[in-house]
Amino acid sequence: MKIRCLCGNLLNDETLETTNPLMVFPEKEYYDVLESNPKTVEELVDKMPSGSIWECRVCGRLHYFKEGKIAIYRLEEEVPDND
């Protein structure tokens, strides 16, 4: 799949030069899958809850795919010190 980031970078989950794809899911669901004792790696992957984030390697924005939508987050460069 390909999408264009707001910075103009073409994100492609098959080209790791432009995209860093990550899987995310609730910890409880992960442990539920492990407790089901999958016999193979393929079975483990098939049972994993869905949810993925793509990080743009150009600007660092995170593209979170969920329920037919893409939420886009831009990380702060620096968190101010409140001292």
Side-chain angles (χ1 to χ4, degrees), residues 23-41:
M23 291 180 62
V24 295
F25 34 84
E27 194 171 285
K28 182 190 179 323
E29 291 180 30
Y30 173 73
Y31 287 115
D32 288 346
V33 169
L34 290 181
E35 288 177 7
S36 71
N37 294 319
K39 305 291 186 245
T40 64
V41 172

Side-chain angles (χ1 to χ4, degrees), residues 7-74:
C7 74
N9 183 29
L10 182 62
L11 303 178
N12 180 349
D13 61 342
E14 295 177 8
T15 305
L16 299 181
E17 296 165 359
T18 63
T19 310
N20 185 20
L22 309 163
M23 291 180 62
V24 295
F25 34 84
E27 194 171 285
K28 182 190 179 323
E29 291 180 30
Y30 173 73
Y31 287 115
D32 288 346
V33 169
L34 290 181
E35 288 177 7
S36 71
N37 294 319
K39 305 291 186 245
T40 64
V41 172
E42 290 82 9
E43 186 179 341
L44 174 69
V45 171
D46 287 343
K47 289 183 175 184
M48 284 292 181
S50 62
S52 64
I53 291 179
W54 290 7
E55 177 186 21
C56 176
R57 291 196 183 265
V58 173
C59 70
R61 282 185 177 92
L62 300 177
H63 300 75
Y64 179 38
F65 299 85
K66 60 179 189 176
E67 302 170 7
K69 297 186 282 186
I70 302 175
I72 302 172
Y73 301 93
R74 182 165 185 162

